[in-house]
Amino acid sequence: MFASCNPTPKEETTDNFNYTDEQFADLQMLRYKVHGFEELTLKQKELVYYLSQAALEGRDILFDQNGKHNLVIRKMLETVYTEYPGDKESKDFKALETYLKRVWFSNGIHHHYGCEKFIPGFSAEFLRNALNSVNAANLPLAEGQTVDQLCEEVFDVIFDPTVMPKRVNQADNEDLLMTSACNYYEGVSQQEAEDFYNAMKDPNDPSPIMYGMNSKLVKENGKLVEKVWKVGGLYSDAIEKIVGWLEKAANVAENDKQKAVIEKLIEFYRDGDLKTFDEYSITWVNDLDSRIDFVNCFTESYGDPLGMKASWESIVNFKDLEATKRTETISANAQWFEDHSPVDKRFKKEKVKGITAKVITAAMLGGDLYPSTAIGINLPNSNWIRSAHGSKSVTIGNLTDAYSQASKGGGLVKEFAYSEEELKLIEQYADITDNLHTDLHECLGHGSGKLLPGVDPDTLKAYGSTIEEARADLFGLYYLADDKLTELGLVPSPDAYKAQYYSYMMNGLMTQLVRINQGNNIEEAHMRNRALIARWVMEKGAGEKVVEMVKKDGKTYVKVNDYQKLRQLFGDLLAEIQRIKSEGDYIAARDIVENYAVKIDPTLHAEILERYKSLNLAPYKGFINPVYTAVTDENGNITDVTIDYTEGYAEQMLRYSSEYANLPYRN
Ligand code: ZN
């Protein structure tokens, strides 16, 4: 339990809330504000509190899933970090501190995004001496193990770049299991694992379970065995703690449906049966009326090179009623938008159904959603459940807010925007129009239009996702400038759209390239789509100088001269992209993507990278969680739950490592 001696949180306004925190390596820590928490009822706050505890109890599971030595290494480093008697300002110690922070951030010793192993900036000799200088009782020693034997156990893993170099290896022609450091399989070859699961699958089963999702596959006495993650199985100690909090949560559920969701999840954590998991998913998808919602389970399979084993994650959230009204307004008018879009009538839907994407406020992040997190969630992953029972799609409003607030101080826009005029537009309206663009993209863009009869949805092959994203983005861009949005009360000024138009062009033509190394092409579908749109409209409007690239003091800038013409060009491109999609015109898709979306002008790219470097920004971001404290009366009843945002990153990590240290170091 949290000590109840936490200071009462200061009432902070959005304006002086500290969205940014420390920066190290390629990472920046941010904070998110839980708007509206104070307005929840006491029972709802209590529910959030219990679910938040459950969200933190599984932390060690993810560390162990990401690599079998992670828990041992984390504990070694933490002990040195807190107890080292030597010079804490030395270069070696500072490097160890950075390394440890990266391990915390990645939930292991491999980069959370690139999957490559970290290279320590300190020597093996330094670490060995440091380990020998701290209290051995606080080191993760196995029974009878000496400090030197502990070094023996993990030093190659830490220091030898050829040992476990990648967490997830996707290279062709290699045994993906033998060459990946993730801990989902042990002593099992890729072929063996594939054979094992293929033998289980029935291709005619209309409702297949998520095979292998909640277990580690190992070889015991020459036989393959699944070690299931459940109460009484692998990771039992952590799962029991999670279940304990879920039981408390079930008691304060908002309604019977939600109570049933929580109870099903508890049942699954107890029996480990994937059929129970499917039942849970269906119950969860059908719980639409509760204000509070959560994910707490083995969920995403990106960490398994075979895409079956799911990493543990959690998010606790509640519906943002104000923002959800916005998406509901948009969805309710879906038919109007479809009817008035600039695409050929043959490609329009006669009857269109808008998707109501719920906007939520994150209250706690855990496991694979912490500290690096998604800003939207679409679950469950089971295909048959999605088609038979639907899915929940949410955007996480307060995290998006935090990103955009944090970027304001970063200087990127200041460096790349053409003049004060654009800066002012962006400052005034970008938050609103950014969110609106996302809403239009998600709620209407993807759902608009139709394929002509007989067109195979996969005809566009590798170009399909770029075309699809371009379609949704263009739908949003085109309508952002429409009077309909003013009429619906969604924009504060008829000029607001200019903020999105300018930043979209600036990003598509320039700033998104900061994420690509010199000499490489644009690969990722969303980035290709943005380049495609920005470059196409610039070229088509070149005669009238609708948008141009200009030089000022030796630097390149994007200048938009005619916003209304720019809107027309977005409309023209939307019509063409929809035609390509509807007719399944592969040649046209290939040509437009290859011509506009892939190559980068090396001179411009070098200039952008140089300017970005001078800003000293971190490309990856993660969030520090708030701290909830249950205030109790003399009988132990909760009388209030308070929220505090002042905990530092290292402080939070060390506290989690002591309060939620639920697993043995070696599992
Ligand atoms: Zn999309």
Side-chain angles (χ1 to χ4, degrees):
M1 291 280 286
F2 293 140
S4 45
C5 60
N6 273 309
T8 327
K10 283 185 293 278
E11 197 45 62
E12 282 160 316
T13 64
T14 310
D15 298 320
N16 60 24
F17 185 78
N18 256 336
Y19 287 94
T20 53
D21 204 277
E22 63 180 297
Q23 189 173 329
F24 49 90
D26 55 355
L27 307 168
Q28 171 160 41
M29 300 311 303
L30 306 179
R31 290 174 190 276
Y32 58 97
K33 181 142 205 272
V34 189
H35 311 283
F37 178 76
E38 282 82 4
E39 282 82 61
L40 296 178
T41 65
L42 175 59
K43 202 173 155 195
Q44 286 173 325
K45 285 182 186 174
E46 212 177 327
L47 179 58
V48 168
Y49 176 73
Y50 295 141
L51 292 173
S52 293
Q53 291 287 27
L56 298 174
E57 297 284 8
R59 178 173 180 252
D60 282 0
I61 295 176
L62 182 68
F63 269 86
D64 194 67
Q65 288 180 318
N66 281 344
K68 67 179 291 190
H69 304 286
N70 284 339
L71 289 170
V72 169
I73 293 172
R74 188 185 81 195
K75 180 64 181 172
M76 286 164 60
L77 297 168
E78 284 173 351
T79 304
V80 170
Y81 179 65
T82 49
E83 294 186 11
Y84 184 58
D87 179 8
K88 287 195 170 181
E89 294 304 315
S90 71
K91 210 176 137 269
D92 277 320
F93 186 85
K94 284 285 171 204
L96 178 132
E97 181 176 11
T98 301
Y99 182 83
L100 173 57
K101 284 181 178 174
R102 299 183 81 182
V103 169
W104 282 332
F105 192 99
S106 292
N107 297 285
I109 58 170
H110 298 87
H111 197 278
H112 72 287
Y113 191 81
C115 294
E116 74 281 4
K117 194 166 81 173
F118 298 135
I119 299 165
F122 51 91
S123 67
E125 195 195 355
F126 167 78
L127 182 56
R128 186 184 296 269
N129 289 336
L131 288 165
N132 275 298
S133 72
V134 298
N135 183 357
N138 295 329
L139 290 175
L141 297 168
E143 209 176 304
Q145 197 179 38
T146 65
V147 173
D148 278 328
Q149 285 165 338
L150 175 66
C151 296
E152 202 82 347
E153 182 187 339
V154 294
F155 268 31
D156 282 353
V157 176
I158 299 175
F159 294 103
D160 184 341
T162 65
V163 175
M164 296 186 153
K166 288 215 98 172
R167 178 164 56 82
V168 186
N169 179 29
Q170 297 282 20
D172 261 353
N173 308 322
E174 286 178 31
D175 186 309
L176 300 184
L177 299 193
M178 292 303 185
T179 55
S180 294
C182 61
N183 193 23
Y184 295 116
Y185 306 85
E186 197 159 347
V188 181
S189 74
Q190 183 178 350
Q191 192 63 53
E192 285 171 323
E194 284 171 351
D195 291 346
F196 181 83
Y197 285 109
N198 284 337
M200 279 186 190
K201 290 177 188 166
D202 169 5
N204 298 317
D205 185 351
S207 52
I209 54 168
M210 306 283 283
Y211 289 98
M213 186 199 88
N214 66 332
S215 63
K216 177 175 177 176
L217 188 64
V218 301
K219 207 184 258 178
E220 272 177 359
N221 307 318
K223 257 192 83 187
L224 294 186
V225 189
E226 277 189 323
K227 290 195 155 180
V228 178
W229 307 321
K230 61 171 189 168
V231 172
L234 194 54
Y235 301 149
S236 186
D237 296 341
I239 295 172
E240 283 167 46
K241 290 271 174 61
I242 296 169
V243 166
W245 290 112
L246 290 177
E247 282 172 335
K248 287 179 192 288
N251 286 332
V252 292
E254 294 175 88
N255 52 57
D256 288 347
K257 256 190 186 171
Q258 187 179 55
K259 192 175 160 84
V261 171
I262 301 171
E263 283 171 347
K264 257 301 164 205
L265 180 59
I266 294 173
E267 190 185 328
F268 169 65
Y269 273 136
R270 290 209 170 109
D271 70 15
D273 185 339
L274 290 167
K275 279 220 164 63
T276 311
F277 180 70
D278 281 354
E279 287 166 24
Y280 154 73
S281 296
I282 294 165
T283 320
W284 179 74
V285 160
N286 286 321
D287 175 21
L288 294 170
D289 300 327
S290 306
R291 175 90 191 267
I292 291 158
D293 203 354
F294 73 104
V295 173
N296 181 313
C297 209
F298 308 105
T299 309
E300 298 293 355
S301 55
Y302 305 112
D304 171 10
L306 302 186
M308 283 193 285
K309 310 285 175 196
S311 60
W312 188 88
E313 71 178 32
S314 185
I315 176 171
V316 183
N317 64 80
F318 52 90
K319 201 191 277 186
D320 179 336
L321 301 177
E322 218 21 66
T324 300
K325 249 188 241 158
R326 195 179 69 211
T327 59
E328 283 169 354
T329 304
I330 290 170
S331 288
N333 289 279
Q335 193 65 53
W336 187 93
F337 288 104
E338 183 76 358
D339 293 345
H340 292 80
S341 91
V343 315
D344 191 311
K345 233 180 158 165
R346 293 177 301 142
F347 310 140
K348 288 187 186 181
K349 273 189 179 138
E350 294 78 34
K351 247 185 130 45
V352 61
K353 202 176 170 300
I355 300 160
T356 308
K358 183 166 76 155
V359 182
I360 60 170
T361 301
M364 185 58 78
L365 305 168
D368 221 357
L369 287 170
Y370 173 91
S372 169
T373 192
I375 51 168
I377 295 180
N378 197 323
L379 287 173
N381 284 324
S382 165
N383 281 320
W384 78 265
I385 296 180
R386 292 173 74 87
S387 37
H389 300 273
S391 60
K392 278 191 208 172
S393 172
V394 301
T395 54
I396 312 172
N398 62 332
L399 299 185
T400 315
D401 278 1
Y403 279 125
S404 78
Q405 292 293 339
S407 76
K408 282 182 186 159
L412 184 82
V413 176
K414 204 160 189 247
E415 170 63 35
F416 287 94
Y418 176 65
S419 73
E420 284 300 318
E421 192 187 321
E422 288 82 6
L423 270 176
K424 229 174 105 189
L425 270 173
I426 290 170
E427 205 155 284
Q428 237 177 328
Y429 302 121
D431 287 351
I432 296 166
T433 55
D434 244 3
N435 283 334
L436 258 181
H437 185 242
T438 307
D439 295 340
L440 291 165
H441 175 119
E442 300 292 347
C443 303
L444 301 179
H446 281 307
S448 74
K450 65 173 183 193
L451 300 182
L452 290 184
V455 172
D456 174 352
D458 296 327
T459 352
L460 303 182
K461 294 183 204 137
Y463 302 107
S465 35
T466 300
I467 295 294
E468 178 55 23
E469 291 309 320
R471 207 171 68 86
D473 260 3
L474 286 162
F475 201 93
L477 287 167
Y478 178 76
Y479 277 118
L480 262 180
D482 203 287
D483 293 342
K484 186 74 177 173
L485 296 195
T486 323
E487 185 194 306
L488 292 172
L490 295 169
V491 286
S493 146
D495 276 343
Y497 78 94
K498 292 179 182 170
Q500 179 68 9
Y501 276 26
Y502 187 79
S503 33
Y504 197 95
M505 293 304 290
M506 182 180 85
N507 187 46
L509 294 168
M510 300 185 70
T511 44
Q512 71 163 348
L513 301 176
V514 303
R515 276 185 266 158
I516 297 177
N517 290 330
Q518 183 81 46
N520 291 354
N521 286 333
I522 307 176
E523 303 278 354
E524 202 271 329
H526 293 82
M527 292 181 74
R528 282 187 166 187
N529 128 54
R530 292 180 208 122
L532 190 166
I533 293 174
R535 291 168 178 183
W536 191 94
V537 294
M538 187 165 84
E539 188 190 287
K540 299 298 166 189
E544 297 172 273
K545 290 200 170 159
V546 177
V547 180
E548 52 181 340
M549 303 285 269
V550 296
K551 287 261 185 191
K552 203 167 69 176
D553 304 328
K555 291 178 178 179
T556 312
Y557 296 89
V558 174
K559 188 162 174 269
V560 176
N561 296 314
D562 190 333
Y563 283 96
Q564 272 305 317
K565 286 232 171 75
L566 181 55
R567 186 199 181 201
Q568 262 172 36
L569 289 166
F570 285 142
D572 293 347
L573 183 55
L574 173 58
E576 171 61 3
I577 294 284
Q578 183 63 56
R579 183 198 66 75
I580 291 173
K581 172 103 185 177
S582 291
E583 295 180 350
D585 188 343
Y586 174 79
I587 305 288
R590 188 192 62 196
D591 287 352
I592 203 167
V593 173
E594 293 293 345
N595 287 338
Y596 294 95
V598 180
K599 299 268 180 315
I600 306 172
D601 168 6
T603 317
L604 177 65
H605 196 190
E607 181 199 320
I608 292 167
L609 291 176
E610 192 58 39
R611 285 162 72 184
Y612 181 71
K613 207 174 140 204
S614 72
L615 298 172
N616 197 25
L617 298 173
Y620 302 101
K621 317 213 185 292
F623 289 97
I624 300 171
N625 277 323
V627 180
Y628 295 93
T629 304
V631 182
T632 51
D633 62 18
E634 61 273 20
N635 301 318
N637 299 315
I638 294 184
T639 55
D640 195 12
V641 177
T642 59
I643 184 167
D644 180 71
Y645 299 101
T646 55
E647 190 168 44
Y649 182 53
E651 196 187 345
Q652 180 155 95
M653 289 296 82
L654 291 170
R655 183 171 65 81
Y656 285 3
S657 291
S658 96
E659 288 182 12
Y660 306 102
N662 292 329
L663 293 183
Y665 299 116
R666 297 164 186 84
N667 288 280

